[in-house]
Amino acid sequence: MRAVWLREFGGPQVLVPGSAPDPVPGEGQVLIEVAHANLTFVETQFRATGLGPFTGDLPMVPGNGVGGTVTALGPGADPAWLGRRVVSSTGGSGGYAELAAVPADGLHPVPDGLALDDATALLADGRTARLLLETAAPAPGARVLVTAAAGGVGTLLVQLATAAGAHVVAAAGGPSKLALAAELGAAETTDYLRPDWTRYPDPVDLVLDGVGGTLGRAAAGLLRDGGKLLSYGLASGSWTDLPPAEAAARDLTVLTLRPTPERVRAATAHVLAEAAAHRLRPVIGRRFPLERAADAHRAIESRATLGKTLLDVAP
């Protein structure tokens, strides 16, 4: 089968297309004919450094999320999965390939009426956005600042928070990203490429921060006393550092995302159903053929992409 190999950590050029043996589904597994691979910023960090939530011995085929059709069953797998359109995590490897063997108990059926590429775009980012909103639980009318609001998670957070009745302030870099956030329902936008972006007239009740670093720290400064901060990403390379003494002095609550397998599964099902009902729109900003996985990583790292970036695997 066609695949993309990671044989050493480094720049995007270390992602090299080639061939790999067809995987054989084991006990309780199914084989997915992959149509789309789901790319995340975390995968670019792993490719560069070997660090992050994934592990694996090199050489390996990277990729943690796929969408496709079940074409074969391993021993003990439910025959009802055969021929079904599904999305699934892979455990951190094997996604950048034409075929992927994954546990059947981790499959998510794609609802009727939802395109497979849209479902794949929702797999990682959609469940993350849903879990963030569940954890933060903003009250109707709450002012919610979303950083990286034009990214994969951010575009979904803007929509989900708006649907929950929040007044969303979308922070992103540049006019095109701000226009997208406004189109998705943000009540206000602010461009953090401007040096004065934190001179914002009204404080916010909640910050949902996927950037971290100095930008995340600046966003936390916009919280009202008694507000809440939930950091879920470090696109800047480091987490948002809010000193405990400052949080205590301002009565700020620093929330932590604590997903369980049950909550992750429920959140995934929720966003897939919402998208099938046309109440949630995944934004696929860029797509690349499988062999151009290196270019896809470059695009993500350039910060120039909108929404989700996918690999289209089927020729």
Side-chain angles (χ1 to χ4, degrees):
M1 67 174 181
R2 295 156 48 238
V4 172
W5 285 95
L6 176 65
R7 294 186 170 88
E8 61 180 318
F9 299 117
Q13 73 279 357
V14 301
L15 295 174
V16 180
S19 62
D22 290 1
V24 177
E27 181 72 31
Q29 290 188 323
V30 304
L31 187 68
I32 298 176
E33 185 177 43
V34 178
H36 311 282
N38 170 35
L39 300 176
T40 65
F41 190 79
V42 170
E43 290 176 12
T44 70
Q45 294 174 313
F46 175 74
R47 181 220 72 229
T49 65
L51 302 176
F54 309 130
T55 58
D57 296 326
L58 301 184
M60 66 182 291
V61 174
N64 187 48
V66 297
T69 303
V70 175
T71 58
L73 307 171
D78 187 345
W81 285 115
L82 196 61
R84 297 284 301 275
R85 298 187 311 147
V86 297
V87 291
S88 177
S89 296
T90 66
S93 63
Y96 298 0
E98 288 185 294
L99 299 169
V102 300
D105 60 9
L107 296 175
H108 299 275
V110 177
D112 292 341
L114 181 61
L116 191 50
D117 55 353
D118 285 341
T120 308
L122 284 167
L123 176 62
D125 293 346
R127 67 191 179 203
T128 298
R130 171 64 178 175
L131 290 168
L132 289 167
L133 261 293
E134 288 179 354
T135 300
R143 292 176 57 80
V144 177
L145 175 64
V146 177
T147 67
V153 176
T155 52
L156 299 171
L157 276 176
V158 168
Q159 296 175 74
L160 291 171
T162 299
H167 180 101
V168 174
V169 180
S176 64
K177 294 184 177 182
L178 298 180
L180 175 60
E183 178 187 338
L184 295 174
E188 301 177 56
T189 62
T190 181
D191 187 347
Y192 49 49
L193 295 182
R194 296 172 57 92
D196 61 347
W197 79 274
T198 55
R199 296 177 188 171
Y200 211 70
D202 300 309
V204 297
D205 303 293
L206 168 66
V207 169
L208 298 170
D209 173 45
V211 178
T214 56
L215 194 147
R217 183 68 184 82
L222 296 176
L223 282 165
R224 64 167 176 80
D225 289 353
K228 296 186 291 185
L229 169 68
L230 178 48
S231 292
Y232 65 92
L234 62 165
S236 66
S238 62
W239 291 101
T240 294
D241 180 22
L242 182 63
E246 179 180 343
R250 297 178 55 200
D251 192 28
L252 300 178
T253 300
V254 180
L255 301 170
T256 303
L257 194 61
R258 301 186 188 279
T260 63
E262 295 76 19
R263 288 186 65 203
V264 169
R265 186 161 193 85
T268 307
H270 176 82
V271 295
L272 291 174
E274 288 295 288
H278 308 291
R279 291 188 293 265
L280 183 64
R281 171 191 159 197
V283 176
I284 302 174
R286 297 287 302 275
R287 48 205 316 157
F288 295 83
L290 174 65
E291 287 76 11
R292 291 181 56 199
D295 290 335
H297 275 228
R298 289 188 186 96
I300 293 172
E301 290 177 327
S302 75
R303 306 295 202 278
T305 57
L306 297 174
K308 195 67 183 171
T309 301
L310 291 183
L311 287 181
D312 291 332
V313 179

